[in-house]
Amino acid sequence: MSQPVNTGSGSSIKESLASWGDLAGLLRGGDQGALVPVVIPRDTRGLRWTVLLWFGLFALCSALMMAVNAAIGGGVVGYTLLAVPTLLVGLLSIVGAGLWWWRGSIIEIEEGTHGILTRYGAIVRAIGPGRHYLWHPWSRVDFVVDTRTEIPYTAPVLACPTRENVPLKSIEFFLKFQIIDPIRFVTIIGASNFDLVLSSAVQDAIRQRSRLVNTESAYDLRGSNVEDMRRLLNSQLEKYGVRITGCNIPDVQLPNQYQQHLATRERVAKELVAYEQEWELTRKRRIDTLLMDIERSKKTRDAKIVEVNAALNKARKDVAQMLEEQETEAQRVRYEIETRGRADLVAAENEAKAQQRLATAYRDNRAVLEYELARRRLDVGAALAERAPRPVVVQTEAGSGDSSALSTLLTAQLLPQVLNGAAPGSRGVSAAASAGAQEMAESAQGAIAAAAERQQHMADEYQRQQDVAMRQQFERGEGYGRR
């Protein structure tokens, strides 16, 4: 049983009737160029094994009756001899019928396929790949469906109008689908009807896509993104237990007249490309010439820059040499000025020291002279005080002439004693004179210290004025010694 549906250049889908040995070839290679995702296996089991079963039961019953008759008939030998072979034949028949039934109940489902198990014509369940045993006599596998292979399908769509209503010659659409629910696929649509539904859905999707493009960009459909078309087809075919796993547009053919027009446009475009290439070569040659001129100009400029740099370096060297000479001369002049200034400073310092020593000597000599003069005055006064005469006054009463001679005698006797007793008094006078001389010496030393302090103050003021003058000379850059 074969029912090809699509007779064009595209793919066609059908279901085939075959024996269990031909299932793998039909599912993998198809049948006469058509895709065969569903195969109806021939059921060769039948009930012929029941003949052996009934014959075995009949033989067993016959052997049993023969044994009973032999026992009742008084041990007839003929019945006994026939009962044994009949019993063996019955047992062998029953065993053969059981083996036939066991062997006929075994089915093997190919890997990647599922079988639809039915019982009394009703679908029970889908069974997976592997070996299965159908012990029930009326259980059978009506369909074997390929559920793992991604089945390729090609659907060329003719006369697809574009946005300008120009019919394209053909658009080839390629997709891959997979049966994910074999029971729904078999019971709802079937392989032959699915071919019609899939072809119609693909044509509708392709025509919707071609309406969205311009004729001149129709070739852009080749290899374009058709994910939206895949989602649309999945939404339409999901209820049949089928899933579209991938799709694309491998080829687009334009009308002959439009192809000639495109050929002319391509020829013009090629000529334009040739002219552009020629112009590009000319432009590159001109650019290369200009670049060579620029390189030569750069080399000339670099040579001139080298010369200018050499002249600049020479000028810098001369200027540096001149500056060095001027710096040397300025250093020499500065050293001369500093030397002269130091000499003048030393002379001024020596002069100040001489003035200071002179003032000190003058002050010391004057104080010493005053001190010596005061000391000599004191010595002279002391000597004069020691040698001065001392008058002695003796008072007598007036009118006593008798006693004057006695008093005179007594005075003459006591006078040496008085003079000797007056020596300590003279020493007292000398001590008083020495104390006065010491006071005069102290006042002289105070005068000398005041004079020395005034001289030191004058010397410090002179030194400060000299330092201020020298600092001002340095600030003016005149150096030492310039007046």
Side-chain angles (χ1 to χ4, degrees):
M1 175 183 175
S2 62
Q3 185 180 358
V5 176
N6 195 343
T7 58
S9 59
S11 301
S12 61
I13 302 174
K14 68 176 184 178
E15 58 186 19
S16 299
L17 178 64
S19 61
W20 285 97
D22 298 334
L23 288 179
L26 288 175
L27 292 175
R28 298 293 181 264
D31 184 16
Q32 297 178 359
L35 302 175
V36 183
V38 179
V39 176
I40 302 173
R42 291 190 181 94
D43 189 6
T44 58
R45 291 191 304 161
L47 298 175
R48 286 174 291 183
W49 58 274
T50 58
V51 176
L52 289 177
L53 179 62
W54 290 114
F55 178 76
L57 292 175
F58 175 75
L60 289 176
C61 292
S62 299
L64 181 60
M65 292 180 66
M66 289 179 184
V68 172
N69 291 328
I72 293 175
V76 180
V77 179
Y79 285 111
T80 304
L81 294 176
L82 289 175
V84 175
T86 304
L87 179 62
L88 293 176
V89 170
L91 291 175
L92 290 176
S93 298
I94 291 173
V95 171
L99 290 175
W100 193 349
W101 176 43
W102 171 77
R103 185 63 186 89
S105 63
I106 295 175
I107 60 170
E108 293 181 355
I109 305 299
E110 291 286 336
E111 182 68 28
T113 62
H114 281 74
I116 308 299
L117 180 64
T118 61
R119 184 176 298 166
Y120 299 111
I123 295 177
V124 178
R125 59 187 174 88
I127 57 177
R131 174 175 289 186
H132 300 274
Y133 296 93
L134 303 180
W135 303 112
H136 199 282
W138 283 272
S139 295
R140 65 180 60 191
V141 176
D142 286 343
F143 303 96
V144 177
V145 184
D146 189 354
T147 57
R148 176 173 295 182
T149 305
E150 294 182 350
I151 303 171
Y153 183 83
T154 303
V157 182
L158 305 178
C160 294
T162 60
R163 182 179 295 177
E164 296 89 352
N165 206 21
V166 176
L168 300 177
K169 190 174 181 180
S170 67
I171 297 178
E172 186 176 354
F173 188 75
F174 174 79
L175 60 86
K176 293 182 294 183
F177 70 91
Q178 184 180 8
I179 300 172
I180 57 176
D181 192 345
I183 296 178
R184 291 169 61 185
F185 182 78
V186 171
T187 57
I188 295 177
I189 189 168
S192 300
N193 295 329
F194 179 73
D195 187 19
L196 293 175
V197 172
L198 182 59
S199 177
S200 299
V202 168
Q203 288 189 12
D204 183 47
I206 288 294
R207 292 181 189 278
Q208 290 181 10
R209 174 57 66 89
S210 65
R211 280 290 187 181
L212 300 177
V213 298
N214 297 322
T215 307
E216 60 181 7
S217 60
Y219 281 131
D220 295 340
L221 291 174
R222 292 183 295 188
S224 61
N225 187 8
V226 291
E227 185 64 22
D228 55 343
M229 297 176 64
R230 188 181 72 84
R231 289 195 296 267
L232 177 62
L233 292 175
N234 278 329
S235 64
Q236 295 177 359
L237 303 177
E238 186 177 2
K239 58 185 177 181
Y240 303 125
V242 177
R243 181 178 61 195
I244 306 298
T245 58
C247 56
N248 64 351
I249 300 175
D251 188 22
V252 176
Q253 294 184 6
L254 298 176
N256 295 330
Q257 184 177 0
Y258 202 82
Q259 286 183 0
Q260 294 177 0
H261 175 64
L262 288 181
T264 303
R265 290 183 61 182
E266 289 179 359
R267 180 175 55 82
V268 173
K270 289 180 180 179
E271 292 178 356
L272 179 61
V273 170
Y275 289 143
E276 288 179 353
Q277 291 178 354
E278 184 178 359
W279 164 247
E280 186 69 21
L281 291 175
T282 304
R283 188 175 67 85
K284 285 184 179 180
R285 284 197 295 269
R286 292 181 180 178
I287 290 174
D288 292 339
T289 303
L290 291 175
L291 291 177
M292 291 177 64
D293 295 338
I294 291 172
E295 290 295 330
R296 285 196 294 269
S297 301
K298 285 183 179 180
K299 290 180 180 179
T300 304
R301 184 198 62 184
D302 294 339
K304 291 183 179 180
I305 288 174
V306 170
E307 293 178 358
V308 171
N309 289 333
L312 182 61
N313 292 331
K314 184 178 180 181
R316 286 177 180 173
K317 188 183 294 183
D318 295 339
V319 170
Q321 185 176 2
M322 183 176 65
L323 289 176
E324 187 176 357
E325 292 177 356
Q326 290 181 359
E327 183 68 22
T328 304
E329 183 66 21
Q331 189 75 12
R332 184 183 61 78
V333 172
R334 186 169 65 85
Y335 288 158
E336 290 180 358
I337 293 172
E338 289 179 355
T339 303
R340 192 182 304 133
R342 288 193 185 95
D344 294 342
L345 179 61
V346 170
E349 290 177 351
N350 293 331
E351 183 179 357
K353 289 179 180 179
Q355 292 290 338
Q356 186 177 3
R357 290 192 184 95
L358 181 61
T360 304
Y362 175 75
R363 181 192 62 191
D364 294 341
N365 292 332
R366 183 177 179 184
V368 169
L369 289 175
E370 289 178 356
Y371 176 74
E372 187 69 22
L373 180 60
R375 189 178 64 77
R376 288 182 181 183
R377 286 176 181 175
L378 290 175
D379 292 339
V380 171
L384 291 176
E386 291 177 357
R387 293 181 176 86
R390 298 182 181 84
V392 177
V393 178
V394 179
Q395 294 181 359
T396 60
E397 295 181 357
S400 60
D402 294 332
S403 60
S404 61
L406 179 62
S407 61
T408 303
L409 177 62
L410 290 172
T411 302
Q413 291 177 357
L414 293 174
L415 184 61
Q417 296 179 2
V418 172
L419 291 175
N420 293 330
S426 64
R427 292 189 189 93
V429 173
S430 300
S434 299
Q438 187 175 2
E439 291 179 358
M440 292 179 66
E442 290 178 357
S443 64
Q445 289 179 357
I448 292 170
E453 184 177 357
R454 286 195 300 273
Q455 186 67 25
Q456 184 66 31
H457 180 70
M458 291 176 63
D460 293 340
E461 183 67 22
Y462 178 77
Q463 183 67 30
R464 187 180 64 79
Q465 291 178 0
Q466 288 292 330
D467 293 339
V468 170
M470 292 175 64
R471 189 179 298 108
Q472 291 177 356
Q473 289 180 0
F474 273 115
E475 290 177 355
R476 292 194 299 269
E478 296 178 356
Y480 291 103
R482 178 167 295 183
R483 299 176 185 275

